[in-house]
Amino acid sequence: MAILDVAKLGHPILRQVAEAVSLDEAQSSGFQNFIDDMVETMRKLDGVGLAAPQVSCSKQVVVIASEANPRYPDESDLPLMVLINPRLTERSDERIEGWEACLSVKDLRGKVRRHRKVRVEAFDRHMNPLSFETEGFLSIVLQHEIDHLNGKVFLDRMEDFSTLTHLEEFDRFWMSQATKV
Ligand code: NI
């Protein structure tokens, strides 16, 4: 396995719409190795999610996991999830607000409002279909990662930039307010 380089804001691939993954492609050993590398990279960098365009592959793949994550100490653990060709098929009108950050937007956090609940349809790494509804932190992470597949980053979802904060200042001024989303 390998740790992959993360594309930072400004890399054009982060602004492209990612291509769907075909069944043949998903079954190749190269693709399965790539998924393992994505998981390893996410864990190494303490991410809770990673989308393939962030590692310079414009394909519809996201991985999500959080196990006692130091970047999100107050959030519940998320079991490892690999989603191929994910789509949001339902979104609640009700919104929740949370602090977001991104491995491609270094050293910044900002408040973003997202749908509280979403329904996701996707395939797992073996192309078995998945359909589930989720809410709260996982819902936020899913919306953030699926945005990456559509060329969007969390900054695009901020209503204004008044909460945009460098991590150093976040720790000084905002940490106490950064409770559950
Ligand atoms: Ni991100």
Side-chain angles (χ1 to χ4, degrees):
M1 290 199 283
I3 303 296
L4 305 169
D5 283 341
V6 174
K8 302 297 188 314
L9 192 65
H11 192 312
I13 202 164
L14 293 172
R15 293 311 196 172
Q16 290 171 18
V17 175
E19 281 176 29
V21 176
S22 69
L23 183 59
D24 281 353
E25 187 175 12
Q27 287 171 334
S28 70
S29 59
F31 188 82
Q32 291 295 320
N33 290 341
F34 172 67
I35 289 174
D36 291 337
D37 289 346
M38 281 184 69
V39 171
E40 192 181 12
T41 302
M42 169 179 68
R43 288 186 163 144
K44 173 84 178 170
L45 301 177
D46 293 327
V48 295
L50 187 69
Q54 292 183 272
V55 288
S56 302
C57 173
S58 194
K59 296 280 177 177
Q60 293 180 23
V61 186
V62 308
V63 297
I64 289 170
S66 177
E67 294 119 3
N69 192 307
R71 287 174 73 234
Y72 297 89
D74 296 329
E75 303 302 344
S76 48
D77 287 359
L78 304 176
L80 176 63
M81 193 180 275
V82 175
L83 299 176
I84 295 176
N85 302 343
R87 289 186 307 127
L88 298 177
T89 54
E90 288 172 35
R91 302 162 178 85
S92 65
D93 290 334
E94 193 187 351
R95 309 279 181 131
I96 42 174
E97 190 173 60
W99 287 94
E100 293 191 25
C102 181
L103 296 173
S104 296
V105 183
K106 254 182 121 173
D107 192 36
L108 287 171
R109 259 184 199 177
K111 276 189 183 177
V112 182
R113 268 156 45 89
R114 301 277 189 183
H115 303 284
R116 176 180 289 281
K117 274 191 198 174
V118 292
R119 171 167 286 282
V120 179
E121 292 187 13
F123 297 89
D124 70 12
R125 66 185 296 166
H126 305 296
M127 290 309 252
N128 300 306
L130 300 171
S131 177
F132 58 93
E133 198 174 81
T134 189
E135 60 185 310
F137 185 48
L138 179 55
S139 170
I140 288 175
V141 175
L142 280 163
Q143 290 171 73
H144 178 119
E145 300 310 330
I146 291 174
D147 268 356
H148 277 302
L149 304 182
N150 292 304
K152 291 203 181 310
V153 298
F154 78 90
L155 301 169
D156 303 323
R157 299 295 189 191
M158 290 182 73
E159 285 162 18
D160 66 69
F161 291 131
S162 61
T163 61
L164 193 62
T165 307
H166 281 284
L167 288 186
E168 188 188 337
E169 307 297 1
F170 181 86
D171 291 346
R172 284 176 68 200
F173 296 108
W174 298 95
M175 185 70 105
S176 60
Q177 293 179 32
T179 50
K180 305 276 188 292
V181 289

